[in-house]
Amino acid sequence: MSEETTPFLELAGVTKKYGDFTAVSDINLSIREGELFTLVGPSGSGKTTMIRMLVGMDQPTSGEMRLKGRVLNKVPANKRPTCMVFQSLALFPHKSVGENVEFAMKIAGVDPARRRQRAEELLAQLRLPLDCYDKGVNQCSGGERQRIALARALAFNPEILFFDEPLSALDFRLRKALEKELKDIHRETGKTFVYITHSLEEAMVMSDRIGIMRDGRIVQVGTPHEIYNKPINEFVAKFMGEVNSLEVEAVGENMVKSKVYGDTYHVGTMPAGFTAGFLIIRPEVVKIGKAAAPMPNRIQGVVFNDYALGSRIQYQVRSATNGDPWLVERLQDEAYEGQLGDTVDIGWRPEDSIVLSE
Ligand code: ADP
Ligand code: MG
């Protein structure tokens, strides 16, 4: 029982100031052993500062960081059981895979035979072929290099691995592949991963839980499912990607009115005591054409743009009555007969919209 109740990595009131500027503000957070926790936030929101304090490259101005109950604040970086994995897959380019993986052990003075044995274990754990050992890292593929970088980090035998936007410089396809690989590796190693990205989409793919940062604060912590379905405010809802967002006020039970455009919409539920805030409607819940006919919320509009998004098509539709622009998405194979310039119905179910107070 005590094992479950002893938190793994805990931050209590962690704050970092640079002069008058507060980069990280009063963070209270508990990260579980073995989870893949991702900090997501726009550039400048304090993500790197958080990690720098956790690995010991920087000191909090106030607050406490604890690992399994032990205060980390004063522990020097090289004595912490944490490891910063890589930035842009920064391996030693002119060394072999084996030399890269053995780096930490060589520094620690481990003898060559033992080093090699451990390196081979790590290569096997990361499903890298043994003949990789003597290859130059430049001969390895992107996926292999990620695994080598992880093998090198795991050789330090850290309790926690930190990743600061490792994939952000890579092209789209490689990034997508490596996101999934990283999730697999996380599962295989069973280590605690703390990952940073500015892309909520990337975080959604791989994380057990996500913490959303804004202006040095954590605004929401939850599973990808919770963040997607129950964003706490408009910032989180919009951070996810393109959404329809309207400033609204309550005008009756489960009924809101657009402050700018004046029209009213049925909603599934409203936060207790809701008077005004935002109505969020994801493009993919909005139906277009015949499919919109049975929907309780319906608007007539003109299609003025369409974009192929791969499996989906996105339409921009301007309301015929007030000019309000809407985003609508449908799957390629959902029937829709319309074209640009057509007047169409769009509509959605009240329970598919989200009402937020802030
Ligand atoms: P992120 O990683 O989310 O992009 P950072 O943690 O790097 O954000 O930075 C958070 C804020 O703190 C930024 O406004 C940045 O300019 C500021 N900052 C970071 N490091 C320093 C520093 N050494 N001195 C002054 N300001 C800093
Ligand atoms: Mg950063």
Side-chain angles (χ1 to χ4, degrees):
M1 184 192 139
S2 67
E3 220 168 289
E4 276 169 32
T5 51
T6 305
F8 188 64
L9 179 63
E10 269 185 303
L11 283 78
V14 171
T15 298
K16 178 69 187 181
K17 294 189 176 180
Y18 294 109
D20 288 343
F21 178 74
T22 306
V24 165
S25 180
D26 191 25
I27 301 288
N28 297 289
L29 180 66
S30 183
I31 293 176
R32 299 172 191 145
E33 182 157 24
E35 80 174 328
L36 200 166
F37 188 94
T38 303
L39 282 171
V40 191
S43 178
S45 56
K47 306 179 298 295
T48 296
T49 306
M50 285 272 288
I51 283 204
R52 287 175 55 86
M53 291 189 285
L54 285 165
V55 298
M57 292 160 75
D58 223 332
Q59 281 291 320
T61 310
S62 57
E64 209 167 77
M65 304 175 294
R66 294 186 285 266
L67 184 62
K68 294 198 262 189
R70 174 188 178 213
V71 178
L72 278 181
N73 295 43
K74 296 268 150 51
V75 180
N78 62 354
K79 293 281 187 324
R80 290 190 194 191
T82 56
C83 186
M84 190 82 141
V85 176
F86 50 79
Q87 245 159 342
S88 312
L89 303 175
L91 292 162
F92 305 120
H94 304 297
K95 291 189 192 291
S96 71
V97 171
E99 285 168 328
N100 267 280
V101 175
E102 289 178 21
F103 173 71
M105 293 180 275
K106 194 168 176 185
I107 288 182
V110 177
D111 72 76
R114 172 77 195 104
R115 265 176 6 219
R116 169 136 198 168
Q117 185 196 351
R118 179 75 184 125
E120 289 184 353
E121 279 168 23
L122 287 165
L123 293 183
Q125 185 181 9
L126 291 164
R127 283 184 277 118
L128 285 158
L130 265 191
D131 61 15
C132 240
Y133 185 90
D134 291 309
K135 265 200 202 172
V137 289
N138 289 336
Q139 294 167 268
C140 299
S141 70
E144 287 169 340
R145 286 154 77 124
Q146 168 157 282
R147 286 171 176 271
I148 297 160
L150 273 151
R152 189 178 64 176
L154 288 168
F156 287 86
N157 204 20
E159 298 242 27
I160 309 178
L161 282 79
F162 291 98
F163 303 78
D164 191 354
E165 311 220 21
L167 308 181
S168 56
L170 304 177
D171 73 65
F172 181 80
R173 270 188 50 200
L174 182 57
R175 196 170 74 235
K176 288 285 144 200
L178 295 191
E179 286 168 4
K180 292 192 178 132
E181 281 240 359
L182 200 69
K183 183 174 176 150
D184 292 345
I185 295 169
H186 170 253
R187 198 166 35 229
E188 289 157 18
T189 60
K191 293 278 181 186
T192 307
F193 283 19
V194 177
Y195 190 92
I196 285 184
T197 174
H198 59 266
S199 159
L200 188 49
E201 206 191 336
E202 180 168 311
M204 298 293 254
V205 174
M206 61 174 107
S207 313
D208 294 316
R209 288 192 307 149
I210 295 170
I212 310 263
M213 286 194 78
R214 180 188 197 182
D215 298 336
R217 294 176 182 275
I218 292 196
V219 292
Q220 185 170 9
V221 175
T223 62
H225 183 80
E226 286 163 353
I227 301 274
Y228 187 82
N229 290 293
K230 292 191 169 33
I232 198 166
N233 58 25
E234 197 214 15
F235 172 80
V236 175
K238 279 191 158 170
F239 199 58
M240 196 93 53
E242 292 179 301
V243 293
N244 296 292
S245 169
L246 294 181
E247 259 195 89
V248 296
E249 56 198 8
V251 286
E253 200 178 324
N254 290 353
M255 194 75 162
V256 296
K257 179 178 166 193
S258 163
K259 282 189 180 173
V260 178
Y261 299 101
D263 34 8
T264 56
Y265 304 104
H266 301 277
V267 298
T269 51
M270 303 201 294
F274 178 82
T275 53
F278 297 91
L279 175 65
I280 306 290
I281 306 142
R282 298 189 191 291
E284 64 267 28
V285 306
V286 185
K287 302 293 172 194
I288 187 166
K290 286 201 182 93
M295 298 289 156
N297 291 308
R298 215 164 47 249
I299 294 167
Q300 207 172 57
V302 177
V303 181
F304 68 97
N305 262 323
D306 56 8
Y307 305 97
L309 303 178
S311 61
R312 294 162 299 139
I313 299 177
Q314 184 184 81
Y315 299 94
Q316 291 185 319
V317 177
R318 198 181 306 287
S319 161
T321 49
N322 60 22
D324 185 11
W326 290 85
L327 286 176
V328 180
E329 281 174 25
R330 68 168 179 89
L331 293 171
Q332 287 273 15
D333 57 0
E334 277 180 273
Y336 168 63
E337 56 293 336
Q339 297 183 356
L340 277 190
D342 284 357
T343 297
V344 294
D345 276 340
I346 61 169
W348 66 94
R349 304 187 310 168
E351 60 269 37
D352 288 336
S353 57
I354 303 168
V355 182
L356 299 167
S357 299
E358 54 176 294

